[in-house]
Amino acid sequence: MTQTTHTQTTPPGAGGRPRSPELRLVADALRDLFQDAFAYRPLPPMAVDGPLTRRLPGRMRESARWTPHALVVAAGVVAMLANAASFSERGVAQLVGGVLALIPVLLTLARPVGSFWVSLGASAVTAVAAGSWDTWPWLPGSFVSHLVVLTVVAIRTRPRTAAYMWLLTAMYGFWAVTFFGMGRYEINVAPMLILSALVLLAVTVRHTRRQAQQEVTAQLTVTEHERSRRTLLEERTTIARELHDVVAHHMSVVAIQAEAAPYRVENPPPELEKAFATIRENAVAALTELRRVLGVVRAEDYEAPDAPQPTLADLDGLLANVREAGLEVEKAVTGAVRELPQGVELSAYRIVQEALSNSLRHAPGAAARVEIGYVLGGLGLRVVGGPPPAPHLVKASPGAGHGITGMRERVSMLNGEMTAGPTDEGGYEVTVFLPVPAAVPAGEGDA
């Protein structure tokens, strides 16, 4: 066994050498802020499946989808009016100043990264054109406009991109104050950086929380899938263990009959003795392989049952135990009772047992009814559980759904049919049909 150590932590550059963290930071900033900055990325409508929007009427719910767009437009109108009021002269300059505050906000709805650059340029133009000495470098309207742009862009992009935009905003503010801020009454760089940092921090926390929720949801989905798959394999393994005794019994009978058959015929021909010997050898070999397969699927702590596998004849004992556990259950049998193959008898018993266990688990104190129908070509089962007397006292069961999986596997193994679902009265019903091939009368197949 060899052990290797991977020391390369940064992707290689153009010359094959690893790039430094500083170069990667600059490359990421250039890619986020300049690559496809003005690409068309419209803001999608809001989902209306929340706890509040779900209760709205149809038309109002459809209108609520555009709530984010309406809020952005409203913020842009506020910035426009505030910017227009900052101009001392009325007329075209005032109109242009208001429009320059409105355009970057509206641009966030379609081109979020590009709106940031437009907002920086518009802030500089309006600050110079207004000629106001009150606030610098952002007029009141430009202050609101740029803060809204940073907020919307941070929501619509990655936290890393929002951090780069905050740094550029800080650089622009310090540059404007250093070279053009002499004699200004109020410098609003600090309020802009503090407010925008708080907003970006809240948006980053929101992004992180949403990403964590998505990862948890994906992990839960994978876990549930793996749990269902494991449950299915466990049910199939249990069925294989139970049917081992049934199949092993039949194979043992075949081997014994093949060994004893030649002694029942006086002076049997050699060909017949050889044929029975071959049958016995094949039966013993099949029995050996069957036990070997069972050893593969057997768990480490598995112990072979001492008692024989149950059949429908043991159903009365099961019902007595269930009644002692507190479930009122009655049984009805229709048709001519007859002996069925052991695999069918075992599966039918287990299906009834699991259905009654589900009734005890999910509807304590309720009543149940078991119907068994011996019909031509098969066996019909119907287990109906009544509704619980006190539904609010029933606690969720962690094993819900596993019993249904096991019943379906048993029915599928026998090529049967099964339906399971709630009843109109609030209970639960399981209906199963297990086909049983008609027995061939002795001598009918002889030609």
Side-chain angles (χ1 to χ4, degrees):
M1 180 178 178
T2 59
Q3 182 178 359
T4 59
T5 303
H6 185 70
T7 58
Q8 181 176 333
T9 57
T10 58
R17 293 174 299 177
R19 295 188 301 182
S20 64
E22 293 80 6
L23 289 178
R24 287 197 300 117
L25 187 65
V26 173
D28 292 340
L30 294 176
R31 182 168 56 253
D32 291 346
L33 297 177
F34 294 98
Q35 186 176 0
D36 297 330
F38 287 88
Y40 181 65
R41 300 168 185 171
L43 178 65
M46 181 182 69
V48 290
D49 54 353
L52 296 179
T53 55
R54 193 185 298 115
R55 302 178 181 179
L56 297 176
R59 183 170 297 180
M60 293 184 62
R61 190 187 305 114
E62 185 64 27
S63 302
R65 294 166 54 87
W66 306 101
T67 300
H69 302 74
L71 292 177
V72 172
V73 172
V77 172
V78 172
M80 179 184 67
L81 296 178
N83 228 30
S86 302
F87 281 76
S88 57
E89 297 182 0
R90 309 294 178 183
V92 178
Q94 187 181 36
L95 178 62
V96 172
V99 171
L100 286 178
L102 176 63
I103 287 178
V105 177
L106 297 182
L107 200 60
T108 59
L109 299 176
R111 292 172 170 83
V113 179
S115 66
F116 168 77
W117 295 110
V118 174
S119 178
L120 279 183
S123 299
V125 172
T126 53
V128 174
S132 176
W133 291 82
D134 294 336
T135 58
W136 184 262
W138 285 280
L139 298 181
S142 299
F143 188 94
V144 175
S145 175
H146 193 68
L147 189 61
V148 172
V149 168
L150 285 177
T151 303
V152 177
V153 174
I155 294 175
R156 300 199 57 197
T157 58
R158 293 179 294 181
R160 185 181 69 183
T161 304
Y164 294 149
M165 292 182 180
W166 186 88
L167 290 175
L168 287 176
T169 300
M171 294 172 59
Y172 164 76
F174 290 134
W175 173 80
V177 170
T178 301
F179 293 98
F180 304 100
M182 300 298 296
R184 305 289 178 177
Y185 297 130
E186 182 180 350
I187 303 299
N188 55 8
V189 174
M192 168 63 75
L193 296 181
I194 293 175
L195 288 177
S196 59
L198 293 177
V199 170
L200 296 182
L201 178 61
V203 172
T204 302
V205 171
R206 176 177 176 270
H207 275 298
T208 304
R209 184 171 180 270
R210 176 174 296 183
Q211 184 178 2
Q213 288 178 341
Q214 293 176 350
E215 292 177 356
V216 170
T217 302
Q219 186 63 35
L220 288 177
T221 302
V222 174
T223 303
E224 183 63 26
H225 176 73
E226 292 297 329
R227 185 184 296 113
S228 300
R229 188 167 175 265
R230 184 177 66 251
T231 301
L232 182 62
L233 294 177
E234 290 176 354
E235 292 293 340
R236 291 179 176 176
T237 303
T238 302
I239 295 172
R241 294 171 187 163
E242 292 179 349
L243 291 181
H244 166 264
D245 293 340
V246 177
V247 179
H249 170 73
H250 289 304
M251 296 304 298
S252 300
V253 171
V254 170
I256 294 173
Q257 290 180 344
E259 185 177 6
Y263 299 99
R264 297 185 179 184
V265 180
E266 185 178 357
N267 299 323
E271 295 81 3
L272 183 60
E273 291 183 353
K274 184 177 180 181
F276 279 118
T278 303
I279 294 174
R280 183 184 181 280
E281 291 175 0
N282 290 334
V284 172
L287 187 59
T288 303
E289 293 297 330
L290 180 63
R291 290 171 177 168
R292 188 174 301 164
V293 171
L294 181 66
V296 174
V297 300
R298 180 184 292 125
E300 294 181 359
D301 56 348
Y302 173 76
E303 296 181 1
D306 297 332
Q309 295 292 354
T311 62
L312 289 177
D314 304 314
L315 197 57
D316 290 335
L318 172 64
L319 299 183
N321 293 334
V322 171
R323 293 189 186 100
E324 293 179 358
L327 182 66
E328 294 295 332
V329 58
E330 59 178 0
K331 184 182 74 168
V333 180
T334 58
V337 179
R338 64 184 185 275
E339 185 179 357
L340 301 175
Q342 292 183 356
V344 176
E345 295 258 356
L346 173 60
S347 296
Y349 180 91
R350 293 302 188 195
I351 290 172
V352 174
Q353 183 183 39
E354 187 59 45
L356 294 178
S357 298
N358 287 341
S359 297
L360 280 172
R361 186 183 302 116
H362 303 292
R369 178 179 175 83
V370 178
E371 299 178 2
I372 304 175
Y374 290 87
V375 297
L376 183 63
L379 176 71
L381 298 174
R382 183 170 179 263
V383 182
V384 182
H392 60 282
L393 298 179
V394 178
K395 298 181 180 180
S397 174
H402 294 178
I404 297 296
T405 301
M407 286 189 279
R408 292 192 185 280
E409 283 299 310
R410 293 181 184 275
V411 173
S412 176
M413 176 189 64
L414 298 173
N415 296 323
E417 298 178 359
M418 171 180 167
T419 58
T423 61
D424 297 336
E425 294 77 14
Y428 204 82
E429 176 180 345
V430 176
T431 305
V432 173
F433 177 76
L434 303 177
V436 178
V440 179
E444 184 177 322
D446 298 338

